[in-house]
Amino acid sequence: MSAPQEKAQRAQALRETLDRYNREYYVLDTPSVPDAEYDRLFAELQALEQAYPALATPDSPTRRVGGAPLPELTPVTHRVPMLSINTETDKSAQGALAFDARVRRALGLETDAPAVEYAAELKFDGLAINLRYEDGVLVQAATRGDGQTGEDVTHNVRTIGQIPLRLSGEAPPVIEVRGEIYMRRDAFEALNARQREAGLKTFVNPRNTAAGAIRQLDPAIARQRPLSFFAYGLGETVGWARPGTHAALLDALAAFGFPVCEHRCVSQGVEGLIAFHERIEALRPGLPYDIDGVVYKVNDVRLQEELGFVSREPRWAVAHKYPAQEEMTRLIGIDIQVGRTGALTPVARLEPVFVGGVTVTNATLHNEDEIRRKGVLVGDWVIVRRAGDVIPEVVAPVVDRRDGNETAFVMPTSCPICGSHAVRGEDEAVTRCSGGLFCPAQRKQALIHFASRKAMDIEGLGDRLVEQLVDNAIVKTPADLYKLGVLGLASLERMAEKSAANVVAAIEKSRETTLQRFVYALGIRNVGEATARDLARHFGALDTLIAADVAALQAVPDVGPVVAQSIHEFFAEPHNREVIEQLRAAGVHWAEHEPARHQDGPLAGKTLVVTGTLPSLTRDEAKALIEAAGGKVAGSVSKKTDYVVAGEAAGSKLEKAQQLNVSILDEAGLRALLSAESGDAPETGAQNALF
């Protein structure tokens, strides 16, 4: 029956499109569309050729297996063709039922005949390879190619540690082992992280990254990409009795030293196949590698031979696929999401698309540089990937579908949540909101940090309580903490009156602090505990620190351009200064002093240890005074210690100081030392009033 003209034209267009996609996928390793899109077009062409057989040309993609060999690599003719298997597109149990029905029908089995025994295994998303061993030694590795002719990639395959160069046990004269070269997800993510760090283009997916490595001319590239391997079949064998079942074959391959996937089973009848399909679907998100389905095979080799082949596929095997993990949809817009640490993350707003088993409407774009590297424009058709519970990601644009109406994305210069300036460090990929104390998106993180032990040390104000305070709109900034009362806290879930009273007491206690703790509590980016100490010691007063420009900030020891810029931008934000004034108005205070004279301070170059309880100074206050005078406070006594400041109930540190003959001061002696005009200490007897 001749085909209508429009059907013939559609078949021709499908052949041309599929040929191009085949070349991109198999030859260039740069696919422009997801597998699901290719499968749809392929199924459409198959349906047309079945309805109108005259459309089935000899060079149709439905008659092919893979792609043409690269001209730079030596061609290898497969002694046993590397054919592909039929795909069952029904994602439900019906896929296994349909395969079982076809097998039983082809074998002429009646309804009441015994169940057929099947072997089930995973369908890996990698690169098929044929490994030829002669007298137990690897002599050749070849890609599938077009099924008849592949490429010699032995030089690259030798770099894969999981592939034995010599077989274990008694090896036959000739055996060709077939399997899949793939890249683990963690290895792929680590590779892309290195690419981003180096400012290079990131890879699209593990499958094509692995294929690209194997088909390089330089084996050093393959060696740099950590590849793995699973064995699952045979090619030519000479002088070896093949096992009678597929399951026994896998056991034999494992005995030769090949890695064989543990996720496999033997099933008496179709019920076991259905159970295997469901079990693997549940495990799929947690697997360390990508799969796109499972494979069912008639287990008995004699039955396989009886069933034979049809066109390019064996009748005795089928691939039962899962929902696609990559799909194509339109990118409607790019929104900005502000994270708990102030990071501004571009998020793709998509036309709804079913991918990875769920309907996806948003996907991450990581950061501004990643958008530029991928070349994504607003309005593009894009490939979206979702693997398991991983956040959906825009992989790449489909450039062929552009119509000229697409626009470039521009990162905003202000936070879309609070309006504060959005800043990006010179060596950073992430743009951040500078309104750390004010921005609602950062509220919980800012409060948790503010209350932490090394900051304001508000005991009892942990993550769960902060969640409740913010979610119930009770606290918006750290200053609101000092308005809390026992009754208000006690009304919260799982907060008894006694616990509420303890938290209020801890908040009250935190009103008296040190400048170092307060600066650290502000949560300024790149300012840790040590930097906060150096800032407090150098400037002595908060207003002096706030007024400092970048150059003045860089005069602080160990404060470089990046840290100085972070501090300056934080205090330049009016919202942050407003919250600081609210905290001061709430009674939060600390001792201040003149800026430190690091070179000529009375304790310049001296190391002190503080131990025990001093009469009027807390340990943090004593530490701040010492550092402001140019001294260093150490945590333990050694021969390098110049002075030990000892108060009541001083313990082992005092004893060690006496053993090492280190000068020992009480609080009065410390104050006398701090008021000295030079770094020379007064006579020990005058200071050592307690001893």
Side-chain angles (χ1 to χ4, degrees):
M1 181 177 65
S2 61
Q5 184 178 1
E6 67 273 13
K7 300 294 184 183
Q9 290 173 342
R10 177 58 179 165
Q12 178 61 26
L14 287 170
R15 283 194 293 271
E16 292 174 358
T17 300
L18 289 170
D19 279 339
R20 177 160 55 87
Y21 290 164
N22 267 327
R23 177 171 172 76
E24 291 171 347
Y25 189 91
Y26 290 106
V27 178
L28 304 178
D29 297 314
T30 55
S32 64
V33 296
D35 289 350
E37 176 69 7
Y38 179 90
D39 290 345
R40 274 193 291 269
L41 298 179
F42 190 91
E44 183 183 351
L45 180 59
Q46 274 187 320
L48 280 173
E49 291 177 349
Q50 288 170 2
Y52 305 100
L55 296 180
T57 60
D59 62 344
S60 171
T62 61
R63 305 289 180 91
R64 295 171 63 85
V65 175
L70 284 174
E72 297 87 351
L73 298 172
T74 304
V76 173
T77 301
H78 297 302
R79 294 166 175 83
V80 175
M82 291 184 72
L83 302 179
S84 63
I85 57 177
N86 183 39
T87 297
E88 182 55 64
T89 56
D90 192 318
K91 307 303 187 293
S92 67
Q94 187 59 40
L97 291 168
F99 172 62
D100 180 59
R102 289 196 300 271
V103 168
R104 295 178 65 84
R105 188 165 54 249
L107 292 173
L109 298 178
E110 300 293 335
T111 306
D112 57 352
V116 177
E117 184 176 81
Y118 296 107
E121 56 196 20
L122 305 188
K123 184 179 183 298
F124 306 105
D125 196 7
L127 177 74
I129 204 81
N130 185 81
L131 307 173
R132 184 176 179 85
Y133 291 81
E134 295 180 0
D135 296 323
V137 177
L138 177 66
V139 296
Q140 187 183 74
T143 62
R144 182 202 301 271
D146 62 5
Q148 300 291 335
T149 304
E151 304 146 334
D152 189 329
V153 290
T154 313
H155 58 298
N156 289 326
V157 167
R158 288 182 186 277
T159 68
I160 302 174
Q162 285 188 315
I163 293 178
L165 300 180
R166 177 179 290 276
L167 301 182
S168 301
E170 187 175 345
V174 173
I175 183 171
E176 291 183 346
V177 176
R178 290 175 176 175
E180 201 88 358
I181 292 174
Y182 65 95
M183 183 176 286
R184 289 173 56 98
R185 290 174 183 165
D186 54 359
F188 175 72
E189 292 302 328
L191 175 63
N192 264 351
R194 292 195 297 272
Q195 292 289 111
R196 291 189 191 99
E197 189 175 335
L200 302 174
K201 181 180 178 181
T202 55
F203 296 99
V204 174
N205 57 47
R207 186 268 169 204
N208 288 94
T209 308
I214 289 300
R215 303 172 76 203
Q216 293 287 336
L217 298 179
D218 183 2
I221 296 177
R223 190 177 296 111
Q224 292 167 3
R225 299 183 192 176
L227 302 176
S228 300
F229 175 76
F230 277 132
Y232 55 64
L234 286 179
E236 183 186 29
T237 63
V238 175
W240 189 63
R242 174 177 175 160
T245 66
H246 181 70
L249 168 62
L250 295 180
D251 291 338
L253 293 178
F256 279 135
F258 293 99
V260 177
C261 183
E262 61 179 320
H263 298 293
R264 61 186 193 272
C265 78
V266 173
S267 166
Q268 301 297 327
V270 71
E271 291 78 10
L273 299 184
I274 295 171
F276 183 78
H277 184 268
E278 293 174 351
R279 179 168 66 85
I280 298 302
E281 185 172 24
L283 292 175
R284 185 186 185 195
L287 293 174
Y289 41 77
D290 285 347
I291 64 170
D292 53 8
V294 295
V295 176
Y296 308 139
K297 297 177 180 177
V298 173
N299 197 32
D300 190 312
V301 173
R302 290 176 305 166
L303 293 182
Q304 291 182 8
E305 293 170 350
E306 182 180 340
L307 287 163
F309 297 81
V310 56
S311 183
R312 61 199 280 274
E313 300 155 346
R315 286 192 177 94
W316 45 266
V318 72
H320 192 180
K321 284 199 169 185
Y322 292 121
Q325 291 184 302
E326 288 187 355
E327 270 291 0
M328 201 162 57
T329 188
R330 190 182 291 276
L331 191 155
I332 303 170
I334 297 179
D335 300 328
I336 296 296
Q337 186 178 76
V338 184
R340 290 165 64 99
T341 62
L344 272 61
T345 302
V347 176
R349 187 158 30 91
L350 308 168
E351 287 184 354
V353 59
F354 191 77
V355 56
V358 300
T359 299
V360 171
T361 56
N362 295 292
T364 183
L365 286 161
H366 297 293
N367 56 54
E368 184 179 15
D369 287 348
E370 197 70 358
I371 294 174
R372 302 283 178 264
R373 271 195 288 268
K374 291 178 177 178
V376 174
L377 302 178
V378 177
D380 266 337
W381 281 89
V382 293
I383 299 171
V384 179
R385 178 177 175 80
R386 180 184 181 274
D389 295 327
V390 177
I391 298 171
E393 174 189 13
V394 171
V395 176
V398 183
V399 178
D400 287 356
R401 292 206 173 192
R402 286 180 176 164
D403 59 12
N405 293 317
E406 298 78 15
T407 57
F409 166 74
V410 178
M411 179 65 79
T413 56
S414 61
C415 173
I417 303 297
C418 71
S420 299
H421 295 298
V423 294
R424 177 178 173 180
E426 184 176 344
D427 298 322
E428 294 186 335
V430 177
T431 301
R432 297 180 186 275
C433 166
S434 61
L437 294 180
F438 176 81
C439 183
Q442 302 175 65
R443 192 166 289 161
K444 292 177 182 178
Q445 187 70 24
L447 289 169
I448 290 169
H449 176 78
F450 184 85
S452 62
R453 185 175 61 83
K454 294 181 178 180
M456 300 303 285
D457 193 21
I458 304 176
E459 190 174 350
L461 191 64
D463 295 14
R464 185 175 60 83
L465 180 54
V466 167
E467 291 273 350
Q468 292 189 75
L469 291 171
V470 173
D471 291 344
N472 289 286
I474 297 171
V475 171
K476 295 182 178 179
T477 74
D480 292 336
L481 293 172
Y482 295 92
K483 303 173 186 177
L484 294 175
V486 174
L487 292 179
L489 282 176
S491 66
L492 296 174
E493 183 182 354
R494 297 181 182 178
M495 178 61 70
E497 188 170 332
K498 183 178 179 180
S499 299
N502 290 338
V503 172
V504 170
I507 294 172
E508 183 63 30
K509 181 182 176 183
S510 74
R511 291 181 198 270
E512 184 176 349
T513 186
T514 65
L515 180 57
Q516 171 187 328
R517 281 181 172 273
F518 185 78
V519 171
Y520 178 62
L522 296 178
I524 305 169
R525 180 159 175 79
N526 297 316
V527 175
E529 187 184 7
T531 303
R533 177 201 64 209
D534 293 341
L535 291 169
R537 172 180 163 181
H538 182 89
F539 291 102
L542 182 63
D543 289 335
T544 310
L545 171 58
I546 292 174
D549 59 17
V550 172
L553 288 165
Q554 289 189 70
V556 179
D558 298 324
V559 172
V562 173
V563 177
Q565 190 64 36
S566 295
I567 298 167
H568 181 69
E569 288 168 350
F570 181 89
F571 288 122
E573 182 54 56
H575 295 318
N576 293 333
R577 296 199 304 272
E578 181 182 345
V579 174
I580 290 170
E581 289 309 309
Q582 291 171 359
L583 286 164
R584 283 171 150 172
V588 178
H589 65 281
W590 51 86
E592 295 190 337
H593 55 80
E594 292 297 318
R597 295 175 295 163
H598 296 288
Q599 301 301 321
D600 58 358
L603 294 181
K606 302 296 183 182
T607 300
L608 291 83
V609 172
V610 181
T611 182
T613 303
L614 301 178
S616 64
L617 291 174
T618 66
R619 194 168 297 186
D620 281 341
E621 289 171 338
K623 183 179 179 182
L625 290 171
I626 292 166
E627 290 176 340
K632 175 184 176 183
V633 179
S636 60
V637 180
S638 71
K639 291 181 179 180
K640 296 182 179 179
T641 305
D642 295 291
Y643 301 102
V644 169
V645 182
E648 186 179 348
S652 59
K653 293 178 182 178
L654 175 59
E655 294 175 3
K656 188 167 184 180
Q658 292 168 332
Q659 293 171 5
L660 296 174
N661 200 27
V662 174
S663 296
I664 300 168
L665 310 175
D666 60 4
E667 183 180 317
L670 173 64
R671 290 185 182 278
L673 192 63
L674 290 169
S675 63
E677 292 186 1
S678 70
D680 296 326
E683 293 182 9
T684 304
Q687 303 171 50
N688 212 354
L690 291 179
F691 305 99

